[in-house]
Amino acid sequence: MNARHAVDPDLLECQGSQLVHGDPGESKSNVLRKLLKRANSYEEAMVPFPGTTIISQLLKSSMTKNGGGAGGAEPGFPGSALSSAGSEAAQEDACSSSSRDSPGQECPSPFARPAHFEAERLSDEHLRAKRARVENIIRGMSHSPCPEGHPLPHSPRDGYRENKRKQKVPQQQQSFRQLVSARKEQKAEERRQLKLQLEDMQKQLRQLQEKFFQVYDSTDSEGNDPDPDGGNLSEDSARSDADERPARDSGQLAETLKQELNSAMSQVVDMVVKVFAKPPRPLPQGFPPLPEPQDPFPTNGDNPNFHTTNQRLQCFGDVIIPGPHESFGGVPLPSANDQTEALPLVVRKPRSAVGAHGGHHHPSLHPSSLSANVGFSPPSFRQPFPLPLMGYPFQGPLGTPSLGYPGKDRGSPDSMDLSRETTSLRTKMASNHHLGHHRSCSPTHPGSTAEGLSLCLIKSEVRLLFLNPRHLHIQEGLSPNHLKKAKLMFFYTRYPSSNMLKMFFSDVKFNRCITSQLIKWFSNFREFYYIQMEKFARQAINDGVTGADEIAVARDCELFRALNMHYNKANDFEVPERFLEVAQITLREFFNAIVAGKDVDPSWKKAIYKVICKLDSEVPEVFKSPTCLQELLHE
DNA sequence: AATTAACCTG
DNA sequence: CAGGTTAATT
């Protein structure tokens, strides 16, 4: 009997990845709805187009209004009572729901009625006119000499009614025409209004953009400020200078940093190009929820620039925010202080962050490089980034932990920054896409059209992505991705030296805390490893295994499943064969020791450790790359 | 005194 | 997985 038979199958079972529940974002879509209502005075319940901007929404709605009206008016037939009733019911719903705010209000005006209802009414009139014409013809026939002498049964009353009808026909036709022309006028007026509003919004957007760029440029120069707290670069060089190092070292450091910055930039460019190339994918909801409830991190109140910059930057994003503390149509929006962008975890006690397995990187994003490095950065290093990120969910089609971080459902805010930002970008792409569909604006005049503006937004965000310090390589903390990498490295080395760790986590700025944290990680890994070994060894003994050579560790055995579940939970990494051998050796060591009764000695495991620590193999070079996760897991 | 690993606990 | 403790090592 071998180990795989010796295990209680109930001990371990595959855990499905946990469902991520995204908040429906009710309030946000309400905001949008109200906005849109106010904008075009239509009561029709508009399903917020997922991930579109207000402008694209407006455009879209006006388009459907203009085009959909004609198509929606189907010819009336006697048998259409059902559909008529259905649409009337729908109309009632729309009315009741829309007038809920002010009870007693009727549906404002025909102008504001849903197009399909209006069409229904028109077709009804049309039907009556038709019927009248037919009856008119019949009546004319009946007045002609009847050879059979069978006049149609006509009561005096019928004659009266017919006279009325006879008169009514032209009236109806006239009113129909009037209605149509009135409607045309109304539509034209509505279009004018929409256009005005759109232009107005474009103006606002332009102004806000200008504001933004002012702020942006100023913060940019602030970032280059030699103030040690100004940014990582200066902090780094300051530190190295103070480290009594030769001047050329800092020169080299600068060169290295420049190179890294360049590569980061080019990677971001690649990513952005990828994002652009991809067809827009609708987001799950029009206006995803803010992540504040999940955010366990305190707002950084230490950074003097935080709030001001934050507020100043508020003018930028998918939605034009009226002002720092204003609201949209009476619906309060999160203010600058509400923004809960993840704040840096102090390296000293980064428990929450390090414990999080929340690497939410969509495979399609693969910003490669970046996601592996998007970790937390120190307070001084961080730049508040409210709007472009605001309103994007932690999860979603782009943010789902599809790379498999099924572990804890705590998300690491930082690791998702990039996802969120690219989501933002993609959202803009989506809105651009819609604009392009409905309106053939020439993109050659960016800024002069809504599409151009949207492009501007995208470009701006690309710039932000480029210059966001968080996307640089060097970081001061360990991210969930680093943890994942460390776990995969455990398949090769159980006892990595500090130097080795520095080599393989070159994108992390090492200090005592980081080092000891990494060491602690591997210590924890070992702990789990040895506990499993002892457990399965005892199990084998209990199951009657007599010789160590009966024990084998294969990929389908329970022991391996347990280990794999722990270090490679997403199972997206091919565990090296050597690890199986080492595991088998370890298991046999435990087995033999226990069988020999050595476990009576409190330090009986030490001998085993001594053996196992010699079995480390070389970690592949890829692991030295900060982007190794992407390279390893998606080949 | 500092570092590290194992151990224990939450 | 992190915090804390202990013991061993340098």
Side-chain angles (χ1 to χ4, degrees), chain A residues 457-508:
Chain A
L457 288 176
I458 294 166
K459 286 177 186 167
S460 310
E461 291 217 354
V462 170
R463 289 177 69 190
L464 285 168
L465 268 177
F466 276 23
L467 289 155
N468 192 336
R470 277 172 289 162
H471 299 153
L472 298 180
H473 271 280
I474 305 295
Q475 54 181 93
E476 294 205 2
L478 290 167
S479 71
N481 272 334
H482 289 123
L483 177 59
K484 181 167 186 168
K485 178 176 170 178
K487 284 180 169 181
L488 296 183
M489 282 174 64
F490 184 78
F491 285 126
Y492 299 92
T493 173
R494 269 63 57 188
Y495 292 88
S497 66
S498 303
N499 282 335
M500 194 188 297
L501 292 176
K502 282 173 188 166
M503 298 266 290
F504 283 90
F505 292 89
S506 56
D507 57 332
V508 179

Side-chain angles (χ1 to χ4, degrees), chain A residues 398-578:
Chain A
L398 297 166
T400 42
S402 48
L403 273 200
Y405 270 124
K408 325 294 188 254
D409 44 12
R410 283 178 296 171
S412 162
D414 284 270
S415 65
M416 282 177 281
D417 283 346
L418 188 65
S419 292
R420 282 192 286 164
E421 285 168 41
T422 43
T423 302
S424 172
L425 270 178
R426 204 186 275 255
T427 302
K428 285 179 177 40
M429 286 305 294
S431 61
N432 244 5
H433 176 77
H434 296 134
L435 286 172
H437 263 317
H438 295 291
R439 197 188 239 192
S440 50
C441 279
S442 164
T444 52
H445 298 91
S448 64
T449 64
E451 191 176 7
L453 277 170
S454 203
L455 273 175
C456 279
L457 288 176
I458 294 166
K459 286 177 186 167
S460 310
E461 291 217 354
V462 170
R463 289 177 69 190
L464 285 168
L465 268 177
F466 276 23
L467 289 155
N468 192 336
R470 277 172 289 162
H471 299 153
L472 298 180
H473 271 280
I474 305 295
Q475 54 181 93
E476 294 205 2
L478 290 167
S479 71
N481 272 334
H482 289 123
L483 177 59
K484 181 167 186 168
K485 178 176 170 178
K487 284 180 169 181
L488 296 183
M489 282 174 64
F490 184 78
F491 285 126
Y492 299 92
T493 173
R494 269 63 57 188
Y495 292 88
S497 66
S498 303
N499 282 335
M500 194 188 297
L501 292 176
K502 282 173 188 166
M503 298 266 290
F504 283 90
F505 292 89
S506 56
D507 57 332
V508 179
K509 195 154 96 183
F510 267 76
N511 54 36
R512 260 188 226 108
C513 295
I514 296 290
T515 310
S516 50
Q517 190 184 359
L518 270 170
I519 289 175
K520 178 72 180 176
W521 280 359
F522 277 86
S523 174
N524 284 329
F525 300 161
R526 282 192 299 271
E527 194 175 352
F528 179 83
Y529 176 82
Y530 288 128
I531 286 174
Q532 296 301 312
M533 292 300 167
E534 183 179 353
K535 184 173 111 187
F536 280 87
R538 292 191 185 277
Q539 192 124 25
I541 294 168
N542 286 340
D543 287 349
V545 178
T546 54
D549 51 348
E550 296 176 36
I551 302 174
V553 174
R555 290 178 193 271
D556 57 347
C557 74
E558 290 294 330
L559 173 59
F560 178 78
R561 283 178 59 193
L563 296 171
N564 193 53
M565 188 65 72
H566 193 72
Y567 309 114
N568 180 28
K569 198 159 192 173
N571 201 26
D572 47 10
F573 177 77
E574 193 184 336
V575 179
E577 198 65 31
R578 173 66 179 161

Side-chain angles (χ1 to χ4, degrees), chain A residues 259-277:
Chain A
Q259 280 176 7
E260 297 217 305
L261 204 140
N262 277 337
S263 72
M265 279 231 190
S266 54
Q267 276 157 350
V268 174
V269 170
D270 287 344
M271 174 206 64
V272 168
V273 168
K274 267 188 203 167
V275 170
F276 274 49

